[in-house]
Amino acid sequence: MTDATPTFRQRLRERQPLVGTFFKTPSHQLVEVLAGAGLDFIVIDAEHAPFDRAALDPCLLAARAAGLPALVRVAGVDGPEIQGALDLGATGIVAPHARNAATVRRIGAAVRYRGGVRGFSNSPRAGGYGATGMAEHIACSDRDSVAVCQIEDREAVEAIEAIAGMDEADCLFIGRADLAVSYGVDDVGDPAVKEAVRTVCAAARSRGKAVGIHIGHMREAQAYLDMGVSLFVVGSDQSLLRAAAAGLRFPASA
């Protein structure tokens, strides 16, 4: 990558509009297909889909080979999960349930070497299997690795002013479904969820922080763009496949 080419982290922090999808099927071929479709990124879902480290490995290899930024949504904020994804060559991580400033600080520390707690090794893919020197690997990883923090709890919304001001998070990702559960409702369109979304967007906008959200269709994007959202995760590989397959019907006869 040349100095003139912005990294995914730079594009994210500059709040450029970015469109990707959740990736839930352990198949490196599907990663290549999505890369050819021109997406800005994918989020490999190791929280809700069957991705252990062995399943992540070929998918991250395919993404790296195709030049497709790949974030990994980890199942928790423990250091080993985050470190494992980054060592395999993930562009960054999406961490669930960033409920408060302390959790965001913990996530940020797990992503970084300097000032953090990430265990060092340049022997995995991220370090060129040992070809990248220690100083270069630390500098490049700390500069380019992305930390996205999911705001999906009422507690996080109540602490959003503090969370939005933290540099450890490159982006705040709104999880409307979990917010609905946290607020005791069963509809992401509930007024309580809508108000929580507005609160998060307003706090992020005031701090110049990138905001992301999951939507079902691109037709929903404009309303969130107007609120300051710049990162869009649209459906998933499975929903895209299902929608395309559902359209394979003969037209109804007149």
Side-chain angles (χ1 to χ4, degrees), residues 21 23 25 27-42 58-59 61-68 236-238 240-241 244:
T21 192
F23 190 79
T25 309
S27 166
H28 61 275
Q29 293 94 339
L30 289 183
V31 174
E32 294 176 299
V33 170
L34 292 177
L39 295 178
D40 293 304
F41 67 98
I42 58 172
C59 291
L61 171 61
R64 200 171 175 95
L68 176 65
S236 69
D237 58 330
Q238 294 172 354
L240 293 171
L241 176 61

Side-chain angles (χ1 to χ4, degrees), residues 95-239:
H97 299 290
R99 293 184 174 92
N100 48 47
T103 305
V104 173
R105 197 171 294 114
R106 183 178 167 193
I107 294 165
V111 171
R112 307 285 167 226
Y113 287 118
R114 301 294 188 198
V117 296
R118 180 179 172 186
F120 177 82
S121 177
N122 61 349
S123 64
R125 179 177 298 120
Y129 300 104
T132 305
M134 187 175 192
E136 182 182 356
H137 179 53
I138 290 173
C140 290
S141 294
D142 284 353
R143 181 192 67 210
D144 298 337
S145 296
V146 170
V148 176
C149 295
Q150 290 194 195
I151 306 301
E152 51 187 351
D153 301 274
R154 185 171 189 161
E155 180 184 346
V157 177
E158 292 170 352
I160 199 60
E161 292 294 337
I163 292 173
M166 301 184 68
D167 194 55
E168 287 90 341
D170 295 305
C171 177
L172 306 180
F173 187 79
I174 299 171
R176 290 183 294 163
D178 277 289
L179 279 175
V181 174
S182 185
Y183 278 91
V185 300
D186 56 9
D187 183 356
V188 296
D190 188 273
V193 177
K194 289 184 175 181
E195 181 58 28
V197 171
R198 285 192 290 267
T199 298
V200 174
C201 288
R205 190 166 57 247
S206 70
R207 299 301 186 98
K209 180 74 68 181
V211 180
I213 200 166
H214 176 252
I215 57 177
H217 304 278
M218 280 302 294
R219 60 176 175 266
E220 302 173 48
Q222 188 58 55
Y224 293 109
L225 278 169
D226 294 342
M227 296 171 66
V229 174
S230 57
L231 181 86
F232 292 89
V233 179
V234 186
S236 69
D237 58 330
Q238 294 172 354
S239 68

